[in-house]
Every structure is written in C-alpha cells, then in structure tokens.
Amino acid sequence: MEKLLIANRGEIVVRIARTARRMGMDTVGVFAEPDSNALHVDSVDEAVALGGSTPAESYLRGDLIVDAARCAGADAIHPGYGFLAENADFAASVIAAGITWVGPTPEQISLLGDKVAAKEAAVAAGVPTAPVWPVAPGSIPADITFPALVKAAAGGGGRGMRVVESAAELFDAIDSASREAESAFGDGTVFVEPYITHSRHIEVQIMGDSHGNVIHLGERDCSVQRRNQKVIEESPAPKLDSELRRILLDGAISLARHVGYQNAGTVEFLVGADGFVNFLEVNTRLQVEHPVTEMVTGLDLVELQLRVAGGEELPLEQSDVRLTGHAVEVRVVAEDPARGWIPSSGEITAFEFPLELRVDSGVRSGSVISGDYDSLLAKAIAHGQSREQAIASLAKGLKSSVVGGVQTNVAATIAVLQEHDFASGSASISYLDDHPEVLQAGPDAPDRLRGFAAAVMVDQIRDRASDHQWGFVAAGWRNLRTQGQRSVWLDQSGTEWHAELITQRDGTLDLMVGSWPTPSDDGSMSPDGRIRLRLRLLGTDPAEGLTPRTIALEVDGLRTVHSVIVSARSDTESSIVIGSPFGQTTWLAKTRFEDHESAAVGAGPVSPLPGTVIAVHVGIGDQVIEGEALMVVEAMKMEHQILAATAATVTEVRFSTGDKVEAGDLLISLEARIDDSGQE
Amino acid sequence: MTVLRSKLDTGSEAYAENLAAMQTMWDEVAAALESVPAIGGQRYVDRHHKRGKMLVRERIEALIDPYTPFLELSPLAAWGTDDPVGAGVANGIGIVNGTEVAITGSDMTYKGGSANPATLDKGSRFNEIVTRNRLPLIGLTESAGADLTRQADIFVRGGGGFKRLTQLSKEGIPTISAVFGPSTAGGAYNPGMSEYTVFVEGRARAYLGGPPLVKMAIDEDVDEETLGGAEMHSRVSGLSDYLATDEMDALRMVRDIVGHLNWNKRGPGPSEMPDDPLYDPAELMGSASADVKVPFDVREILARTLDGSRFEEFKPLYGDKLVCGWGSICGFPVGILGNNGILFSEESNKGAQFIQLCNRTNTPLVFFQNITGFMVGTAAEQGGIIKNGAKLINAVSNSEVPHFVMMVGASYGAGNYGMSGRAYDPRFIFSWPNHRIAVMGPKQLAGVMEIIARSSAAAKGREIDEEELAGQSAFLEAAVEDQSTALFATGRVWDDGIIHPADTRVVLGMAISVAHGAEVKGATEFGTWRH
C-alpha cells in the first residue's frame, strides 16, 4: 500500500492522514463542494472533487469514491467512521476494484451490521446477551418484560430506537421505530430487548488480522450520552470490578474469534448497576473515541489498521498490551445543550485549544459549520496518571479554549467534568437526564464581568480604529481629564451595566463597573462604590482592524482570552457578543442620546440584537406583570426572552412573528400600571 | 532613512535626577489642571448639577465621539493672575461625527460664565487656531456676558469676538452655537453671529436686554420666556434653528449638524508609515535636563517622537548646535529644527536654508526649543551674527508652512524669535513643565543690571553699597526666575498649554493633523537676505 484514499471528511481525515504520512504513504482526500477549502482537504496530499453538497450527493456516493481512487491511483481506501464505513456493498465494491479495504471483510460487516444476526452470533460465542424478542411484520411479541427497548436491526446512532415503559405503548413504538428505520436505513426491521435503566455503556476495542490473531485494547466507558450519542468517553472504565471487566474483555475476544474478525472493531455492552451485562452490537470500524484507547495503550490504531489491511500480522500479542494511566475525551460539538442540543451553524471565528490537550479537529478559524453534516468540531483528549488527573487536566484545558462563531457544548462538558457523580465514576447513560443543571452551565458572575470588560475593550478598539483623524491616540486621551469614557450597556437579561474606562499613560486601562456617582438632591455626589478592574490589552487577532476575532486581556493581572462572536455597530447602536469557554455573554450599548420620537410613542423593551421575532405572547390592552415574557426574539442563534420590566399595560405591539428587528428597535410599547398599593 | 540610536542611559543617576525633577514639576502642573473644572467652587458645581445642568466639560464629553481624544487649549490660562485658572472657559479640539472641530464653552460655575480679560486673551489665541487651521467651530453658549466689574478691560476689545465669528463664516468655516442658558447682551451675539443655532427648550434665553433693563429703558413688563426664550426664538424670531428638548438633545443636534457639513480638510493628510518610535516616549520624562543650563541632546527627544525613530539629518557636520532634518510624526512628514546649544552664524545660516527647503517641499516644521540665545562677543559680532541671525528670523517670519513649537527647555533672548516663538505665529506651541522663558537667563539679567549699576555709580563717583546691590540682584534674579516658569508663561497664554513630556508625540500628531485642515503650502518669497 503506497497511496491511501480516505473516504470521509472532517477530523477523522486529518487524523488518518497524519498516521498515513508518518508511515510514508501518499494520501488522497475527497470533498463535496462546501468542503473545497476545508481543513481535511488541506491535510491530504491531493483531493478529488466529488461534487454535490449533501452527503447523499458526495460522501455517500461509493461509486464516485471508487472512481476517485482509481483516478488518483490510490491502492487502499480507509472509510473513517460514518458515511460508508459500515456499508458492506461499498467494501465489496472497493475490493472488487482491486483496492485494499481498510476494515473488516464485507461478510463481517454484513453479519455484525444486522443487530439480530449479531446477537445470535454473540449467543453462539457465549457472550452475555439478553434475550431478544423478534418482531414479525404486523405482530406484537408477547411475554415482554418492561421497560423494554425497540430497536432497528440495521443502522445505529439512536435512530429507530424507542424506550417502552408498558405494553400499552408497545404497538405505537414499534410502528414509529419501524417507519423511522425504514426511512433512515431502508430496512424497517425492528426487534425488542430489555431496557436496563441506569446502565453504563462500556465497549471493548478489538483488533484482528487476517492470520487469525485477535487482541483487545482494553475497554472504554461512554456512558455520558445525549439522545444515544456519546459526549464524554474514557478508558479504562471507572469503578469496574475486575471480574466484570474480565467478562466483557473475554466476551469481546470470544465473539471476534467466533467470526474471525479482522481489523479494528468495537464490541459494545450495556452494564446494569447490578452487574447485569447485555451485548449490544459490534461497530465494524474505527470509533470516534479511539483516541482514549491510544492514549492509555500508547498504540496508533490507524497504523494497526493499515498494517493488518496490508496483510501483515498484528505486531503485538495480547500480553504485549499495557495500559498506562487514564484518558478522557470530550466531543466538542456545535450544539446548544441548554436548548435541547439544537445544532448551531455559522462561521468559526476563533478556534484555539491549549497544547497540553490532544485535539483531533476538522475545523479551524474561518471554517463554516452547516447543518448538512455532523456537528462534531473537535475531540479534546487528556491523559493523566490517574482518572482525577486526566479529568482535571481536560477541564483546565477546555477552560482556556476559545471557540467563536457558534454555540458549543464546552461550558456544559466542563460542568460535567466538575460534577460530583461524574467525578466519582458513577455516571450512567441517564446521566444527563439526571443532571439537567450541567446543560444550563454558563458564565458565573466573575466570567460575566470579564466578558463585560472584553466587550468594552472591543467597543473601544473598534471605535479607535474607525477614527480617521486621531486614530493614533489612545482611547479617551485628555490633557485635562474630568471623567473617563462612559458607556451604558444592557446584558441578556436587560440589566444595565455602567462602564467608565480611563486610559492611563502607561497604556493600562482602569475600568470601573457600576453606576457612576451622580449628584443627589443637595448637589453632592453619591459615593463611588464601583468595581475597579485594571486592564491591559495583550493582543488581538488580527492585530489591527475594526473587529478582532479574539482579544487577549489582562484583567487584574490575570490573562484571559475571549472570542468576539459578534461585533455590530450602527450610528446609534453597538452590540457585542463575547464568547468564553463558560458560554457567551451578549452586550448592547445604549445610545447616549435618547430618541425623543420613539419616546413619544411609548416606552418598552427594545431588541437586544438584530434578529427575528419568533413568538409574541401579548396583545394590545394586556395587563402584564413584572418579568412576564412578552416576546421572543431569535438572534445570534439564541432565543432572547423579552420581559416586562414592570407591571404595565401593553399599548402597542410593534412587530409580529417572523418580522426582522434591528438592535434597539422598540418592540412593545408599555404604559406603566399603577397597582392598588399606589406603587408603580 | 537613518534610524536614531538612543544613547540615553535610563539606569544612570543623571536620568533618575532629571526624572524626579521633571515629575515634581509635572505634579505641580497636574495639580493646577485638576483645580480647573471646579474652579468656581464646589458649591457652584453642585448648584449647577442640582439644576439638572451639565458642566461645560461634561457637555464636551457628551458631544465628542466615543473614546476619541480631546485636546484642551490654554487650560491654565490666567494661572498666577487674579482671574480664575482656566479663564472661565473651556476651549479645545475634538472629534465630532468623525470631523475635527473646535469647541468652546463657558464655565458657568465661575461668576455665571461671565468673561474676564483672561477669557479674551485665551479666546483670541483660540480664534487664531480656529481660523488658521480652518476648524468648524462649536460654541456651547451660556454666559452672563461681561464681568461688569471688569467691563473697562473687556468691552472695547471684546467686540472683536463677534466680528471674528462672522469672518469665519465668510471664510467658509462653519460656526454652530448651542445655547444652554441665558445669553444676554453680548452673549446673545454668539448665536446671532453663528451659522447654526440650537436652543434648549425652557433653558436657553437670548436677549439684548433682560427684563430689568427693558423695564428701565421702555417701562415694559415682560417675563424672560416671552422676551427671549427658546420657544419664542424657534417659533417667532427665527434666531433658533433647532429646538432641543434638553441638553443632551441639543448635543445630538449639534452632532447631526456637523454630520451634514460635508467637511473636507484641505491639507494632504498623513503619507508616511505611522509606526511607534523605537524608544518609549515615557523616557522623555528623564531625557531633558532638570536644570535648563545643562545641555542635552535633542536627538533623544526625536528618537522618542518620530515615527520608527527615523530621522534624515541635514548638514550634520555644519552648525551642529542646530539639529535639522526630516522625519514624520503619526504619519505626517515634517522638517525638524532642534537646539543642541547656542546659535552661532553657522547654525543661523543652516536653519535659514533648511526652512527654505521645507517651504519648497510644503513640509511643515517642528521646532524643539531649548535655546539660551544667539552667540555674543567680538568674534561672533565680527562673524556677522546679527545679519546671519536676521536671516534665520527672516526665514521663520516669512515661512508659510505650518510651524509647531515644543518648548523643551530654555527659551532666552532672540533665540525665541529664531526658533519661531509665540510672536512668530506658530500654529501650535506647547511647553514641557521644565520650560523657562525670558529675555535672558535670570542670573545673567541680574548680573547685567549689577554691572550697569556699578558703571553708573562709578560715572557719578558714588560709593556702592555692596550689601544693598547684592540684595537688589538677588531680588531681581528671583523675580525673573518666577516670571520665567512654564506655569507663568502658560498663564499668560504664551503657549497653548503645558503637556506631559510623554505626550509629546501624540500632541504633535493631533496638532499637525489639525493644521492639515488648511492648505499646507510653503512660501516662495522671503524678505531680502542680508549676505
């Protein structure tokens, strides 16, 4: 094998190409049109255009990929994971074309890809497997114990899967799961198996060659999942007693031997709290989470795959496999955990991870995330002598990461890593359902303050850069100073933040946050109780220009890096969204000058950002109470609840659902209502 | 272009001493500056606030573009006089709607914003700056008119201010007046002579004579609003073009007016790379000698002022006590003249030639003055120091490119003239705190007077009372010393302000940028040269 075509996209292409190049192989990539300048295309020596923009038009087109391999002179194809990785027909067509297939044989893929057949093989190999109730078309199996799980025989990824609590729900669950499986995989066959609540997802990495050798590379615990998709994986599995571990490892090897398994594969199990083990399925490919196994074994799984695919014997025996320390991986995805993991799309404006983490990534600053593909941005992996150390190191690394432009799950994963149940090693697949609070993880008060400092600095930098007369002078320079540069901002909740920024002659800046002293009735000034931050601009990327993508600041001696997700400026409005690993903070600068015309039609909440009205909860004449939701504006991929500041009567609803609104637009006119106590 | 290499040893004892001395002098200036905004007394500041009104500098802060600089001019005018420090008016240059504008506003907390003689001196210099540099002018008007107790010192020459307002208009320089309070009599002509007027509802009032005077003159009973209120002037008399709801609204309107001026500067603007100097401008605090009698190399200032510390020196081997050459400041190309000692014939001739060259190439000139005068003595006189010095003064006088002067040390005698002193119409002239200025050094002046006294006594055959003469000399030296300080000079509006030495580069940058508001064109003709 001299030239390897990698039939995939994103991080796994970059990952596979790295090993292939190290082994001296030429690499060939493929790409759909939206990926023509993607990182994965740059990571290979040459790349072949597949055309099309959706997966069905490109990465799922086996015929085009085999043609591409022929055309580029590739003598091997690595399918990565997903797309055609577990497509037996594709594997067969590759082999038929005289090209080496990096993966198990088409027969093995076919056998293990059918979950019912795989279960039968597992039973035959003596692997602990719960009984399966097959579902014949038009019939309902009897004697089922609940809760139970309806599953598609083909496919995976949680699709065509239903948890059933009672017999009453069974028919509908089978019906809908079957329909979903039919549309997703072209095969509506479903079956029923026992559902083990609060079980853990533990899987065994296996590796076989064409000479009959099979070894395992330890297990992984992938229990932290959302909608059956893994979020955090680790190796070895925590709190797994040695007897249970032996059962899993032996079972995996036994099944692999039984089918004569070749190349890399994963045998997945569910393990109940009581030690009940149920074989789930075999994934006949390299897994997304393979890095944690690499980190604890010191092996390069892609190298092993390529060598056995080329006909070599496995270079090591089971007794040579040594596990060292503990590794934990987080999947960084462009999704918003706080809003049901809805995908977030847009251009990545900043993308930085600290060097101490292993980061397998397929994107970079400037990459565009679209809804057409998987939301995985990167895998961040830490290795430590102990599990505690690995977790701490990963959390630390994630805290200093910067991903701008899209919503991510970084804040939520940091919260998981620091949460007690996870830390103690007792997370089950219900973990995220049991701990909804981690999904709401966001910036705390000090984070928000730093985010505010970053927003004020970005505002200042942008305004100075647009001063075509005296742009060479520091912000707010005075030879006779009476006050600093004052601005008033609204945060996401509509709370006012007052800023006063003073540039010192040494280039540092004092930022005072809080209401500035105002004259009281007797004319004297109120006491100054503001928070004072000493800021130093350490750098921006790019170094010059109107809108930095990232800003590095020293805040009271502490270096912090923020991404600038949005920086919009009009004549009167300025809105800035600052990103940090703890989440985003949104800041809307209030104009210095009141709009007396709009004051004439009424006062009320204004739109915090340019966006679209997605819901209107009130109508003219409605009596609203303080804090009542009036409207929802979607902006910057976030839903902003527009709340009533005080008890009031709605006098005008200025926008309807679907309307575009600008930052600062008066959304609803309210007339403050005097309640019975005479208070406003 | 050659890059200057600093020889300043910032670890040396001399540097530390200079730094400490400069810091002490700056602290005195800073304290004086700090006193200005509330010079009328806290009671009046509080009263002003209580009425819901903004102080003049608060109005300026709210008027100019966010985060932009503001260069206040003559902030310490009237220092050391009986008039309030700052002369009861805030004058300066800032950015409004992206446009460099001149802003002037009276400080209502001192005698109701009434004008005193120092106000006129400060205003007169401000007007030169506005006119020569073609700056749109914004007046934040609120004034009780003249300080009636000082009317004799104000009335006659004070009229010139109104004349200049309409002359600015004639020159095509926009004038905007926002009226925030009563503007009586002369004060009423501020809006009256301006191109645009904004009146604040319920606050602004303008009339030639207030209700008491109307009662006195024609026995009419009338209230202030009817007589000269904002509503009346907006709806009836037409003196007010824009009626503002409140002070902030008025400032917003002024910003809008500036926005529609379609203002274009006439100079070419910056053309060089505006990179920072290689050396920290903060080191300027210790680069000048604390004692003006101790010379220092002006190139140390240039290394901390010029873009990239780049300096192409002219005639370095000839007349080396006057350093001449080319560089740029914040992107604006300039010719530099800096003193490294006394002016001899060679220095004078070199300077005259350099000024002519810069006029040929339309290059503005920056003078760093640290001069104790022209050389005296038989050799100098026989070498033609008068006619050669005259050449330098001829060149300076007739040069038409903008001049900027930075007083970084001594300024004694005719050296002040040869280096484009205040009387030679520099566009801007700023001083460092260590600046000393007089017809000659205080010690020399006292010594000269002593010699004259001795020869006069000798001619009359009188005995000298040594003790009395020593006392007279000491008194004179101390008096001249006091009248030579930077604060004394700035108090008399001999400059446009004392600046922190570390701000030298940015202040010059702003000043040169402002000067590019007018055409930047050199002279082709000079006075007859005496060869």
Side-chain angles (χ1 to χ4, degrees):
Chain A
M1 288 186 331
E2 288 174 353
K3 193 165 190 178
L4 177 69
L5 182 141
I6 307 163
N8 215 297
R9 70 182 296 280
E11 65 91 15
I12 195 61
V13 177
V14 182
R15 160 72 194 92
I16 293 166
R18 189 163 61 225
T19 292
R21 277 205 313 273
R22 186 170 56 72
M23 293 171 69
M25 300 172 77
D26 292 330
T27 51
V28 183
V30 291
F31 63 94
E33 280 313 297
D35 283 340
S36 53
N37 287 304
L39 180 60
H40 88 257
V41 177
D42 283 346
S43 72
V44 290
D45 298 320
E46 57 190 286
V48 181
L50 298 174
S53 59
T54 63
E57 293 165 345
S58 53
Y59 301 107
L60 286 171
R61 287 285 301 274
D63 55 334
L64 293 181
I65 289 168
V66 172
D67 284 350
R70 276 209 200 90
C71 164
D75 51 16
I77 291 180
H78 193 308
Y81 55 71
F83 296 125
L84 297 168
E86 291 170 279
N87 184 315
D89 293 344
F90 175 63
S93 73
V94 169
I95 293 163
I99 298 168
T100 303
W101 168 251
V102 183
T105 65
E107 297 73 27
Q108 290 162 354
I109 296 173
S110 191
L111 169 71
L112 297 169
D114 179 334
K115 285 177 183 153
V116 179
K119 290 234 178 210
E120 285 162 3
V123 171
V127 179
T129 309
V132 166
W133 296 282
V135 178
S139 77
I140 299 292
D143 308 326
I144 289 177
T145 52
F146 293 98
L149 192 62
V150 178
K151 266 170 119 173
R159 282 189 291 184
M161 213 183 269
R162 297 284 185 282
V163 176
V164 184
E165 301 288 345
S166 68
E169 301 168 19
L170 194 58
F171 180 82
D172 282 349
I174 287 173
D175 187 51
S176 72
S178 177
R179 265 188 285 112
E180 193 172 303
E182 175 72 44
S183 88
F185 314 114
D187 178 357
T189 312
V190 296
F191 63 94
V192 184
E193 65 178 16
Y195 180 71
I196 314 165
T197 54
H198 290 89
S199 56
R200 292 164 66 186
H201 176 114
I202 298 177
E203 60 188 31
V204 178
Q205 177 70 51
I206 55 169
M207 182 64 77
D209 62 22
S210 54
H211 305 277
N213 302 309
V214 177
I215 57 173
H216 71 78
L217 301 177
E219 81 285 352
R220 295 184 288 254
D221 185 323
C222 316
S223 298
V224 180
Q225 303 182 353
R226 37 102 182 153
R227 293 199 299 254
N228 299 305
Q229 290 182 308
K230 297 160 189 168
V231 178
I232 297 179
E233 302 106 339
E234 60 185 301
S235 180
K239 278 192 179 171
L240 185 64
D241 79 61
S242 53
E243 182 51 29
L244 208 44
R245 172 173 284 126
R246 182 61 26 220
I247 289 169
L248 299 178
L249 297 175
D250 287 352
I253 290 289
S254 164
L255 176 56
R257 288 234 170 82
H258 181 75
V259 300
Y261 196 80
Q262 296 178 26
N263 218 289
T266 299
V267 183
E268 298 191 332
F269 298 94
L270 280 182
V271 178
D274 54 359
F276 179 84
V277 174
N278 182 23
F279 162 77
L280 278 179
E281 62 183 57
V282 179
N283 288 326
T284 56
R285 54 170 157 85
L286 186 68
Q287 298 272 90
V288 175
E289 59 272 25
H290 75 273
V292 290
T293 298
E294 294 188 323
M295 300 292 272
V296 293
T297 59
L299 297 168
D300 181 333
L301 264 60
V302 173
E303 180 186 342
L304 293 178
Q305 281 193 295
L306 293 173
R307 287 172 73 165
V308 301
E312 282 185 48
E313 253 190 277
L314 275 171
L316 74 171
E317 295 179 9
Q318 189 64 57
S319 58
D320 297 328
V321 177
R322 292 266 176 280
L323 303 183
T324 310
H326 201 100
V328 185
E329 172 183 285
V330 154
R331 296 191 192 189
V332 176
V333 295
E335 296 180 20
D336 184 355
R339 292 179 53 209
W341 298 87
I342 65 161
S344 169
S345 55
E347 185 184 331
I348 303 278
T349 54
F351 195 81
E352 284 174 35
F353 284 85
L355 292 174
E356 62 270 20
L357 297 183
R358 169 175 169 179
V359 177
D360 284 14
S361 158
V363 299
R364 58 189 162 193
S365 186
S367 295
V368 175
I369 306 305
S370 80
D372 285 340
Y373 299 111
D374 191 84
S375 63
L376 183 67
L377 299 177
K379 302 177 309 201
I381 309 107
H383 181 256
Q385 287 305 309
S386 64
R387 181 170 188 265
E388 293 69 30
Q389 204 182 61
I391 290 172
S393 162
L394 185 55
K396 186 108 193 93
L398 288 172
K399 281 180 195 170
S400 49
S401 69
V402 180
V403 180
V406 291
Q407 285 277 11
T408 73
N409 62 334
V410 172
T413 55
I414 293 171
V416 173
L417 294 173
Q418 295 179 333
E419 190 279 323
H420 175 263
D421 285 350
F422 177 82
S424 67
S426 42
S428 76
I429 55 172
S430 312
Y431 177 84
L432 291 179
D433 293 330
D434 297 342
H435 295 85
E437 75 284 356
V438 299
L439 302 181
Q440 303 299 328
D444 60 12
D447 295 331
R448 282 200 299 275
L449 190 58
R450 282 189 288 270
F452 183 59
V456 174
M457 284 298 283
V458 167
D459 190 47
Q460 178 259 114
I461 290 167
R462 189 179 49 192
D463 276 6
R464 293 312 295 135
S466 59
D467 178 355
H468 302 301
Q469 304 294 342
W470 290 355
F472 48 83
V473 192
W477 182 94
R478 299 286 183 272
N479 54 335
L480 193 168
R481 192 195 304 285
T482 51
Q483 65 183 47
Q485 298 297 296
R486 292 177 172 180
S487 50
V488 184
W489 300 75
L490 295 176
D491 68 11
Q492 264 144 308
S493 70
T495 306
E496 274 194 6
W497 292 58
H498 291 234
E500 183 160 354
L501 190 72
I502 295 179
T503 312
Q504 302 297 340
R505 204 166 261 112
D506 64 4
T508 62
L509 300 102
D510 283 336
L511 176 66
M512 280 151 298
V513 183
S515 294
W516 44 70
T518 47
S520 52
D521 279 348
D522 64 358
S524 64
M525 299 302 265
S526 61
D528 189 350
R530 294 176 291 176
I531 300 168
R532 180 182 288 260
L533 299 175
R534 173 55 67 96
L535 308 180
R536 195 156 68 97
L537 181 65
L538 300 177
T540 57
D541 175 40
E544 289 184 10
L546 290 178
T547 46
R549 288 189 296 270
T550 60
I551 176 167
L553 269 187
E554 191 184 288
V555 182
D556 286 342
L558 202 71
R559 184 178 188 272
T560 62
V561 179
H562 289 93
S563 61
V564 183
I565 294 164
V566 180
S567 168
R569 185 102 172 90
S570 70
D571 271 359
T572 51
E573 301 295 335
S574 167
S575 51
I576 293 174
V577 179
I578 294 293
S580 82
F582 307 100
Q584 300 185 349
T585 49
T586 300
W587 306 98
L588 172 71
K590 288 183 74 175
T591 171
R592 280 195 259 184
F593 302 105
E594 212 176 311
D595 182 348
H596 291 282
E597 298 224 336
S598 86
V601 293
V606 297
S607 178
L609 291 165
T612 308
V613 176
I614 59 169
V616 179
H617 300 315
V618 292
I620 293 173
D622 284 3
Q623 309 271 308
V624 296
I625 58 166
E626 181 183 333
E628 186 171 336
L630 307 174
M631 196 180 258
V632 182
V633 173
E634 188 181 61
M636 307 309 168
K637 300 164 282 261
M638 289 176 280
E639 283 183 9
H640 299 267
Q641 295 283 339
I642 307 300
L643 309 177
T646 58
T649 304
V650 177
T651 55
E652 189 183 2
V653 178
R654 297 167 64 88
F655 295 95
S656 358
T657 303
D659 285 353
K660 299 269 182 235
V661 291
E662 293 300 319
D665 275 355
L666 179 68
L667 297 172
I668 287 175
S669 293
L670 297 177
E671 195 171 81
R673 195 171 71 242
I674 312 293
D675 68 19
D676 296 341
S677 67
Q679 298 291 305
E680 241 184 45
Chain B
M1 209 183 272
T2 313
V3 172
L4 289 168
R5 296 287 165 207
S6 176
K7 296 183 192 70
L8 189 68
D9 179 3
T10 55
S12 71
E13 211 168 289
Y15 178 87
E17 281 171 16
N18 288 335
L19 180 76
M22 185 70 90
Q23 187 63 51
T24 305
M25 289 185 272
W26 171 253
D27 289 345
E28 194 185 351
V29 173
L33 286 168
E34 209 169 307
S35 74
V36 171
I39 198 75
Q42 195 58 43
R43 208 177 123 228
Y44 291 95
V45 169
D46 293 346
R47 195 164 77 180
H48 202 66
H49 277 145
K50 198 177 165 185
R51 288 175 179 164
K53 301 176 87 163
M54 294 156 85
L55 300 179
V56 60
R57 288 176 182 81
E58 290 170 342
R59 288 174 185 154
I60 293 171
E61 291 286 346
L63 173 63
I64 62 175
D65 292 356
Y67 304 110
T68 52
F70 187 73
L71 178 62
E72 195 161 329
L73 298 167
S74 315
L76 298 180
W79 186 92
T81 72
D82 293 337
D83 288 318
V85 181
V89 61
N91 294 344
I93 304 172
I95 309 288
V96 172
N97 240 328
T99 305
E100 279 167 354
V101 295
I103 303 171
T104 176
S106 41
D107 179 357
M108 282 300 286
T109 65
Y110 186 84
K111 292 196 177 176
S114 62
N116 53 59
T119 318
L120 296 192
D121 293 340
K122 180 168 169 172
S124 163
R125 172 60 183 162
F126 185 57
N127 214 277
E128 279 172 34
I129 290 170
V130 169
T131 311
R132 303 272 314 277
N133 300 300
R134 299 187 59 81
L135 283 164
L137 177 65
I138 298 168
L140 307 177
T141 309
E142 177 169 30
S143 170
D147 177 353
L148 294 180
T149 63
R150 311 287 301 277
Q151 66 86 22
D153 294 329
I154 297 167
F155 171 59
V156 176
R157 65 183 178 122
F162 310 119
K163 173 187 171 192
R164 285 192 294 267
L165 266 180
T166 184
Q167 284 178 328
L168 285 176
S169 176
K170 180 180 156 192
E171 294 263 327
I173 300 169
T175 53
I176 303 164
S177 178
V179 186
F180 293 90
S183 297
T184 316
Y189 284 106
N190 276 320
M193 307 306 295
S194 294
E195 292 186 337
Y196 297 90
T197 59
V198 179
F199 276 56
V200 178
E201 195 175 353
R203 299 272 188 186
R205 276 176 209 124
Y207 26 64
L208 294 185
L213 192 136
V214 170
K215 177 74 179 165
M216 280 282 293
I218 60 169
D219 194 26
E220 179 186 326
D221 287 305
V222 65
D223 65 274
E224 291 178 327
E225 275 300 311
T226 312
L227 187 63
E231 284 265 349
M232 189 285 283
H233 281 307
S234 299
R235 298 180 195 280
V236 184
S237 80
L239 175 64
S240 162
D241 302 324
Y242 300 82
L243 180 63
T245 307
D246 53 27
E247 293 202 8
M248 286 302 282
D249 201 34
L251 296 171
R252 179 183 68 80
M253 288 170 169
V254 170
R255 289 179 57 81
D256 286 348
I257 293 167
V258 174
H260 81 234
L261 292 177
N262 191 22
W263 189 247
N264 288 307
K265 291 164 76 174
R266 292 185 176 177
S271 56
E272 305 299 312
M273 197 160 79
D275 48 332
D276 287 337
L278 301 183
Y279 303 94
D280 186 355
E283 291 167 2
L284 290 173
M285 283 296 276
S287 64
S289 305
D291 181 351
V292 294
K293 290 189 285 296
V294 180
F296 64 91
D297 190 350
V298 72
R299 292 182 194 85
E300 297 296 349
I301 299 177
L302 303 185
R304 287 161 183 82
T305 302
L306 299 179
D307 294 340
S309 303
R310 289 181 298 274
F311 184 57
E312 184 203 344
E313 192 163 347
F314 173 67
K315 270 189 169 163
L317 304 178
Y318 183 86
D320 63 355
K321 304 268 181 302
L322 181 66
V323 176
C324 298
W326 290 272
S328 63
I329 296 173
C330 302
F332 295 94
V334 288
I336 312 270
L337 296 95
N339 302 115
N340 258 3
I342 209 158
L343 291 166
F344 291 85
S345 284
E346 290 82 353
E347 279 73 12
S348 305
N349 290 334
K350 176 182 174 181
Q353 184 190 0
F354 183 72
I355 290 169
Q356 277 188 288
L357 290 173
C358 289
N359 273 272
R360 283 283 180 206
T361 55
N362 306 320
T363 310
L365 290 168
V366 181
F367 296 81
F368 288 91
Q369 267 207 32
N370 179 22
I371 181 67
T372 50
F374 284 96
M375 190 59 193
V376 296
T378 314
E381 299 294 357
Q382 290 183 353
I385 188 70
I386 296 175
K387 66 172 193 176
N388 291 323
K391 270 181 225 162
L392 180 58
I393 296 174
N394 178 351
V396 164
S397 304
N398 293 300
S399 165
E400 288 175 12
V401 292
H403 290 186
F404 307 90
V405 181
M406 198 55 74
M407 296 290 201
V408 297
S411 180
Y412 292 134
N416 172 280
Y417 308 157
M419 291 296 288
S420 196
R422 174 73 165 80
Y424 288 76
D425 292 333
R427 291 295 178 89
F428 288 94
I429 176 167
F430 293 98
S431 308
W432 284 10
N434 60 327
H435 166 53
R436 294 293 179 272
I437 183 166
V439 66
M440 63 181 77
K443 205 172 199 68
Q444 287 80 358
L445 195 147
V448 166
M449 293 305 288
E450 193 176 319
I451 291 165
I452 292 168
R454 282 181 196 282
S455 46
S456 158
K460 292 174 185 160
R462 272 209 322 250
E463 275 291 303
I464 293 279
D465 180 340
E466 287 296 336
E467 202 171 319
E468 191 191 335
L469 184 60
Q472 276 173 0
S473 289
F475 179 79
L476 187 59
E477 188 182 333
V480 175
E481 187 72 59
D482 281 351
Q483 293 173 4
S484 304
T485 64
L487 278 166
F488 186 90
T490 208
R492 272 145 193 79
V493 200
W494 292 348
D495 63 17
D496 299 318
I498 302 174
I499 63 160
H500 190 285
D503 285 337
T504 300
R505 173 179 156 81
V506 292
V507 168
L508 281 172
M510 287 185 276
I512 300 168
S513 172
V514 168
H516 276 244
E519 194 180 18
V520 177
K521 193 159 170 40
T524 50
E525 307 221 1
F526 289 84
T528 306
W529 304 105
R530 180 179 293 278
H531 292 292

